[in-house]
Amino acid sequence: MRFSINIIALFILFSLSAQSNYDLKVEDKSLADVVRTLSKQYSLKFSYSPRVLSKHRITRDITAKSRAELISQVFEELPFELKLSDGIYLVIPKKIKPKPTPLIGQVYDNDSGEPLAFAHVQSTENGTLSSQNGRFSLPPREDTITLTVSYIGYKNLELKVPPNEDNVKLRLNQNPQELKEVVLTADIEKSISAPSFFSLNPQQLSSLPMLGETDVFKSMQLLPGIQATDEASSGLVIRGSLPSQNLILMDGFTLYNVDHFFGIFSTLNPNAINNVSVFKGGFGSKYGGRISSVVDVTGKNGAAEKFSGRFGANMLSVNGTLNIPIGQRTSILFAFRNSFSDFINSDLYSDFLKSSRQNFLESISSELNAINISPTVEFHDINTKIQHRFSPNTVFDLNFFISEDFYDGNYVERDSLIEYRLNDISNWSNSGISLNLKSQFKPNWYSNIILSASQYEKKETLTSEFAFSQNFTLDADSTIEANTPVNYFDYSVNSSISDITIKSHNEFQIDHQNVVSGGIEINTISTNYNVNQESLEADFLSFSEYQDTIDIETTIPSLYGNYQFQKEGINTNLGLRASFYEPTQKWYLEPRFDIGFKVSDNLLLKGAASYHHQFISQTSLSLFQGSDQFYWILSDDEIIPIQKSAHFILGGNYSFDKWSFDLEYYNKRTEGIIENQFLVLPPTILANLLEEELNLAGQNNSEGLDLFVKYKSTKFSSWLSFSLAKSEDSFWYRNQNTPYPSVQDQRYEINFTNIYKLGKCEFSSTFLFGSGRPYTPINPEYSIENDTVNIYDLSRINQERLPSYIRLDLSAKYTFDIGKLNFETGLTLFNVLNNRNIRSRKFTKVPQLEELGNQLVVDGSELVALDTNLLGFTPNLFFNIRF
């Protein structure tokens, strides 16, 4: 009996082992249904959540040898764990560790809510600088990290950020006691992403020796590659290019003129500026319309939480700034400057006037030698920003700017023989307005929409007459009676340029390594130029007349995009800009590329290559006189060519301890330049020249080395800028493209700046040394008797050099508090060595007058050189109060 039972048991076991394997075939069924099938078909017991399992659908075709193998294959690659307890399979969801995400954030001023550009954000392993909008990104992390945020003039901030936090707002509190040094940002982190880039914070520029007051543009001239040896011009000559080839933006609108007082200082009020970004070349596809460089100015926001202000004065003007909060979300910043020279003529005012205007007048008329002038000069500028924060991620700005200068001079110069009368009236204005909507739709998606308009207008009249104290015999048949006014010349010019721009810019951060940005920009530009001139001919008997009017308007739509990749010390940008120019009905493509490679913690290499177009030109009204008169005109690519420029940049940065060395080589080739004298010819003459197939367009080749050495410590900071450069023009019609030095050619320049802080006092010095500017010598074939021969040697244009430029400036400042008020007073000594620096040189023929009896006659003439001299030794006192 027992044997039979064993036989039956063995038979059953054999049958089970011989039975077909455990099979399961399902297609796109929910996991909950599959588990129920297993329970019924194989008598398996499960404990699970039908709702959770129903979220997963599976497809399986399984043949297993055991139930354990079957269940294992069913739940393979699914986020569940299986545990067998008392014959029941427990289906437990796995705890999924969140995937590390990039840390994206933004740095703000805690009081005003304005973004802080280029703030240092540092974790244990990684560091970066915030962008112009205060935004930054750090790589993913698996654990909580500590961020340290620093910004000059603010208290350092430390904040712990957990691994699942992907969007942080970092708000810094101001601390004026930390304003210990001027910061010119060229540090290794930022240099990786932007070759030829510098950032200026105007809050730290007040220690520098300046004319009149702190000047943002004069501070830029202390950077390598930007000429500083002409204090009578606030225009920036950057790497051998003309100031008109720079794009200057302020809160989204274009500035076409930045001069106060004929160029002595700029119209940008430092008290209204938050940050200035300077791209000396190789700039990205976001910027277009210029071929040399970009200066992007971001204005301050008003205070969101508290009312504050600042008032100050110097020997030229007064200034004031008010931060006005309105509720919790709206703020207003109002800043103004106004001269008082129409009431009080200070010594500083007289020095400015002589170097800026009297020298100019003497250079255009030999009869005005040694004149003494005391005209009326007035200027003012106003900045207003109204900001409303709809939410922490959506901000709206309304920005307004206006700058005006008025000049009225009536002069009489007498001697025993002759009396000259001159009426010189000039006024110019620059205005701009922008509507700016900034939105952070998501932590990785930023949008900026700008609608802006700007206008520059200049009007000038210059008239002159003379009268002899005695009869003046011209010839046997012609005599000018004594004390009879004779009109010498009448000149008037009105010029203006205006534009309206709409721009939509978007940035999308795919992850911490990849960023895509781009947008569309539509720019409508119109220019107007009208000139009238009458002048007395040399024979004193007839007038020559000249009139010309040019009006042009066009619309330029542009598309642009940029891809940025950054990983393990490598940062590269690849961009493209395409612009359609209506007058030529053509698209113009502009590829842009830059790269930075961090070799070590101390050394990086960088480079850039880019192509640019400019559809608008600015020209002076004189080729050799050094005149400050100019106008803007749109290109037609026939008479006025479209300018094209290719940039190539290669350099490196080495930093250790308190030292930083930055060296860059650049090569810039520009096509489509035209000499100034052709741009003031009537269109009919230009058309005749073109019919003769005379190519008026030329080329400019600029190359050089820029070296920037910086040392900074707690109380002392110093930097040295050295530029070695060459800028040459060439024209086929002049000498078959043989190069000659351009007007802006300067072979070398050295700027050495030092700032020392001692308690509440700050002392600073700036020393500048530059090689002489070029000028055109006299034609050796010229003779006083032969007026048909050109006075200048056009075969040797700009082959002679003015004396070297030397200037030493000193400044001292003392800061103290009385209650809640902060006071600042100081003295600047400009050109302490009182060196005679020459701006330009002109040659002219001066008639020699001689008395014969009771008559005055011309007895020959002589050739003389008239130099326009820059400022001599000039002191300036200043005073500011903050509350």
Side-chain angles (χ1 to χ4, degrees):
M1 182 69 177
R2 181 176 295 175
F3 176 76
S4 299
I5 292 174
N6 290 336
I7 293 295
I8 294 172
L10 289 173
F11 177 77
I12 293 173
L13 290 173
F14 176 79
S15 299
L16 290 173
S17 63
Q19 174 184 329
S20 61
N21 295 329
Y22 293 89
D23 296 327
L24 178 67
K25 185 174 183 180
V26 296
E27 184 172 352
D28 193 27
K29 293 186 67 176
S30 73
L31 184 57
D33 290 341
V34 173
V35 169
R36 282 191 285 268
T37 299
L38 292 176
S39 298
K40 292 179 181 180
Q41 186 171 345
Y42 298 111
S43 300
L44 297 171
K45 295 181 179 181
F46 294 90
S47 175
Y48 61 93
S49 169
R51 181 183 60 83
V52 175
L53 267 61
S54 296
K55 295 179 181 179
H56 299 269
R57 304 187 70 82
I58 63 173
T59 297
R60 298 284 192 268
D61 187 359
I62 302 172
T63 299
K65 296 181 179 179
S66 66
R67 288 183 295 180
E69 183 181 351
L70 173 65
I71 295 172
S72 176
Q73 293 191 36
V74 167
F75 285 89
E76 187 177 6
E77 296 182 355
L78 291 176
F80 297 98
E81 295 179 357
L82 296 177
K83 290 186 178 180
L84 184 61
S85 177
D86 296 333
I88 300 174
Y89 286 96
L90 304 178
V91 182
I92 305 171
K94 292 181 179 178
K95 293 183 179 179
I96 302 176
K97 191 174 183 179
K99 182 180 179 181
T101 58
L103 175 60
I104 299 173
Q106 196 164 17
V107 185
Y108 295 93
D109 181 303
N110 190 41
D111 292 331
S112 67
E114 67 182 54
L116 296 178
F118 312 118
H120 286 262
V121 182
Q122 185 71 43
S123 66
T124 305
E125 299 179 352
N126 298 283
T128 187
L129 295 181
S130 61
S131 67
Q132 287 179 276
N133 301 308
R135 296 184 299 111
F136 67 90
S137 174
L138 291 175
R141 70 279 178 213
E142 296 183 354
D143 301 313
T144 297
I145 61 172
T146 299
L147 289 183
T148 301
V149 188
S150 61
Y151 195 78
I152 295 297
Y154 290 78
K155 296 179 180 179
N156 289 354
L157 173 68
E158 286 192 359
L159 181 68
K160 292 187 180 298
V161 181
N164 57 343
E165 184 74 35
D166 60 358
N167 186 22
V168 296
K169 306 291 184 181
L170 304 174
R171 300 185 179 275
L172 304 185
N173 293 311
Q174 293 189 20
N175 183 5
Q177 299 304 318
E178 292 191 4
L179 298 179
K180 297 177 180 178
E181 57 184 272
V182 174
V183 173
L184 300 176
T185 302
D187 293 328
I188 197 165
E189 299 94 337
K190 191 59 187 176
S191 298
I192 290 178
S193 60
S196 298
F197 171 84
F198 280 86
S199 173
L200 295 175
N201 185 340
Q203 295 183 42
Q204 285 79 53
L205 298 179
S206 60
S207 299
L208 296 177
M210 290 293 167
L211 286 172
E213 62 181 2
T214 301
D215 193 308
V216 175
F217 270 55
K218 298 299 182 184
S219 301
M220 286 187 227
Q221 292 176 347
L222 300 179
L223 300 176
I226 304 179
Q227 290 185 14
T229 55
D230 186 358
E231 66 269 13
S233 174
S234 58
L236 299 178
V237 177
I238 300 179
R239 290 181 170 176
S241 293
L242 294 168
S244 61
Q245 295 168 340
N246 305 322
L247 175 64
I248 302 175
L249 297 171
M250 184 171 183
D251 284 326
F253 56 82
T254 304
L255 293 177
Y256 288 94
N257 179 68
V258 292
D259 287 351
H260 267 325
F261 214 134
F262 301 100
I264 290 295
F265 55 94
S266 75
T267 60
L268 298 181
N269 188 338
N271 300 323
I273 295 174
N274 179 42
N275 186 79
V276 181
S277 299
V278 184
F279 300 86
K280 296 189 296 181
F283 46 90
S285 60
K286 177 182 178 181
Y287 302 104
R290 297 295 187 274
I291 57 173
S292 175
S293 61
V294 174
V295 178
D296 196 350
V297 180
T298 304
K300 285 184 180 179
N301 300 327
E305 284 81 18
K306 65 178 182 180
F307 175 83
S308 62
R310 169 189 169 119
F311 288 94
N314 55 64
M315 295 176 65
L316 270 184
S317 62
V318 295
N319 63 81
T321 306
L322 293 176
N323 296 298
I324 307 171
I326 301 177
Q328 298 296 319
R329 296 188 175 185
T330 305
S331 62
I332 299 176
L333 181 135
F334 176 79
F336 73 92
R337 293 186 299 180
N338 198 96
S339 65
F340 52 74
S341 55
D342 48 336
F343 300 105
I344 303 174
N345 293 340
S346 66
D347 292 339
L348 180 64
Y349 162 81
S350 300
D351 290 343
F352 281 178
L353 188 63
K354 179 175 176 59
S355 65
S356 64
R357 200 58 182 166
Q358 179 169 328
N359 284 335
F360 163 68
L361 295 173
E362 291 178 354
S363 72
I364 65 172
S365 178
S366 61
E367 286 78 9
L368 295 176
N369 281 318
I371 65 173
N372 295 312
I373 59 177
S374 56
T376 300
V377 180
E378 180 186 356
F379 60 84
H380 64 260
D381 54 62
I382 298 174
N383 294 78
T384 303
K385 173 177 281 192
I386 302 174
Q387 184 178 87
H388 180 74
R389 289 166 283 279
F390 294 100
S391 70
N393 296 326
T394 304
V395 179
F396 173 77
D397 292 341
L398 171 62
N399 306 282
F400 174 76
F401 168 77
I402 186 169
S403 167
E404 295 182 294
D405 284 69
F406 305 91
Y407 176 88
D408 188 352
N410 294 281
Y411 328 115
V412 176
E413 185 72 10
R414 300 182 181 91
D415 58 28
S416 60
L417 300 178
I418 195 169
E419 177 182 280
Y420 293 101
R421 303 184 184 97
L422 180 68
N423 187 294
D424 180 20
I425 300 175
S426 180
N427 66 278
W428 59 98
S429 63
N430 204 31
S431 58
I433 187 171
S434 66
L435 307 175
N436 194 336
L437 180 63
K438 294 170 281 190
S439 303
Q440 190 87 37
F441 294 115
K442 294 181 179 180
N444 62 339
W445 180 12
Y446 172 80
S447 175
N448 189 8
I449 299 175
I450 300 175
L451 175 62
S452 66
S454 63
Q455 182 178 37
Y456 169 69
E457 184 175 12
K458 182 164 189 176
K459 299 179 180 179
E460 175 146 6
T461 61
L462 194 65
T463 61
S464 176
E465 63 182 18
F466 63 86
F468 294 103
S469 59
Q470 305 174 23
N471 292 341
F472 184 17
T473 301
L474 299 175
D475 52 42
D477 301 323
S478 180
T479 300
I480 297 178
E481 299 293 333
N483 300 316
T484 300
V486 177
N487 193 16
Y488 187 47
F489 64 84
D490 288 314
Y491 167 83
S492 67
V493 60
N494 297 334
S495 64
S496 65
I497 179 170
S498 60
D499 74 29
I500 299 175
T501 301
I502 183 169
K503 184 174 182 178
S504 176
H505 177 77
N506 288 269
E507 295 181 13
F508 185 76
Q509 188 146 8
I510 302 173
D511 51 39
H512 74 286
Q513 297 178 349
N514 300 275
V515 179
V516 177
S517 61
I520 183 172
E521 181 176 356
I522 301 175
N523 186 218
T524 299
I525 304 176
S526 60
T527 60
N528 171 267
Y529 167 73
N530 178 269
V531 62
N532 293 277
Q533 179 176 318
E534 292 183 354
S535 59
L536 193 65
E537 294 291 349
D539 59 7
F540 290 91
L541 295 176
S542 63
F543 275 88
S544 64
E545 296 185 16
Y546 169 73
Q547 293 183 345
D548 197 7
T549 299
I550 303 175
D551 292 292
I552 307 176
E553 181 176 348
T554 191
T555 299
I556 308 172
S558 301
L559 300 170
Y560 67 91
N562 186 80
Y563 168 69
Q564 181 183 14
F565 174 79
Q566 183 174 8
K567 181 181 180 181
E568 297 178 355
I570 298 177
N571 189 317
T572 182
N573 286 275
L574 182 62
L576 180 66
R577 187 180 182 94
S579 300
F580 181 79
Y581 190 54
E582 199 173 52
T584 61
Q585 293 292 301
K586 293 181 181 179
W587 283 92
Y588 296 86
L589 298 180
E590 301 176 353
R592 316 281 177 87
F593 174 76
D594 67 70
I595 188 171
F597 176 69
K598 194 171 182 179
V599 180
S600 66
D601 290 339
N602 303 102
L603 176 65
L604 70 88
L605 301 177
K606 55 185 177 178
S610 58
Y611 198 68
H612 311 267
H613 291 87
Q614 183 166 329
F615 305 105
I616 188 169
S617 299
Q618 185 191 70
T619 179
S620 200
L621 296 181
S622 172
L623 178 61
F624 298 111
Q625 293 176 355
S627 168
D628 60 350
Q629 309 307 300
F630 58 80
Y631 70 96
W632 291 90
I633 185 170
L634 283 161
S635 303
D636 57 10
D637 214 23
E638 293 181 358
I639 298 176
I640 311 299
I642 294 173
Q643 299 180 63
K644 308 170 186 178
S645 183
H647 296 196
F648 175 77
I649 301 167
L650 184 64
N653 182 289
Y654 182 74
S655 302
F656 70 95
D657 195 19
K658 300 176 181 180
W659 292 88
S660 175
F661 299 83
D662 191 276
L663 179 66
E664 283 190 353
Y665 165 79
Y666 66 88
N667 187 294
K668 179 166 51 179
R669 299 184 178 274
T670 302
E671 299 179 0
I673 64 172
I674 286 185
E675 288 188 312
N676 294 329
Q677 75 270 30
F678 287 111
L679 292 180
V680 296
L681 291 177
T684 53
I685 297 179
L686 286 173
N688 292 334
L689 292 174
L690 292 174
E691 286 180 4
E692 298 176 5
E693 297 184 352
L694 181 63
N695 183 8
L696 302 181
Q699 297 181 352
N700 174 268
N701 295 329
S702 300
E703 65 175 338
L705 286 173
D706 289 345
L707 173 64
F708 184 65
V709 181
K710 181 173 64 174
Y711 173 85
K712 61 179 181 179
S713 62
T714 303
K715 295 184 178 181
F716 178 72
S717 61
S718 175
W719 66 89
L720 174 72
S721 298
F722 174 73
S723 301
L724 180 65
K726 180 173 66 174
S727 176
E728 294 183 328
D729 293 341
S730 59
F731 292 86
W732 177 88
Y733 72 88
R734 182 169 294 287
N735 51 12
Q736 287 73 49
N737 287 329
T738 301
Y740 59 86
S742 67
V743 175
Q744 60 274 16
D745 178 68
Q746 187 174 37
R747 294 305 165 94
Y748 56 87
E749 182 177 298
I750 299 174
N751 301 330
F752 185 43
T753 302
N754 298 275
I755 300 176
Y756 179 70
K757 182 177 178 65
L758 180 62
K760 295 182 179 181
C761 296
E762 288 184 1
F763 303 93
S764 63
S765 66
T766 300
F767 177 76
L768 289 87
F769 180 82
S771 60
R773 300 286 186 90
Y775 71 93
T776 301
I778 297 174
N779 188 344
E781 298 180 0
Y782 178 80
S783 64
I784 299 296
E785 295 76 18
N786 187 1
D787 289 337
T788 60
V789 179
N790 197 307
I791 193 173
Y792 296 99
D793 187 354
L794 299 183
S795 66
R796 300 182 63 236
I797 295 178
N798 292 338
Q799 296 299 318
E800 297 291 340
R801 296 277 171 173
L802 297 171
S804 297
Y805 182 99
I806 301 175
R807 196 180 87 213
L808 173 64
D809 306 335
L810 302 175
S811 182
K813 182 177 70 172
Y814 178 69
T815 303
F816 59 97
D817 297 328
I818 300 179
K820 295 183 178 181
L821 300 179
N822 176 257
F823 294 84
E824 177 185 272
T825 184
L827 171 67
T828 292
L829 302 178
F830 182 84
N831 196 0
V832 174
L833 303 177
N834 199 26
N835 192 61
R836 183 175 179 267
N837 294 309
I838 301 175
R839 185 183 189 187
S840 64
R841 175 167 292 169
K842 176 209 171 186
F843 297 96
T844 188
K845 186 176 72 170
V846 179
Q848 302 297 303
L849 303 178
E850 182 179 347
E851 284 188 86
L852 291 179
N854 293 326
Q855 292 184 339
L856 185 68
V857 298
V858 176
D859 183 21
S861 59
E862 65 176 346
L863 195 64
V864 298
L866 294 177
D867 292 343
T868 56
N869 300 319
L870 295 168
L871 282 171
F873 173 70
T874 305
N876 175 49
L877 292 168
F878 59 89
F879 175 81
N880 294 296
I881 178 173
R882 296 184 180 90
F883 58 89

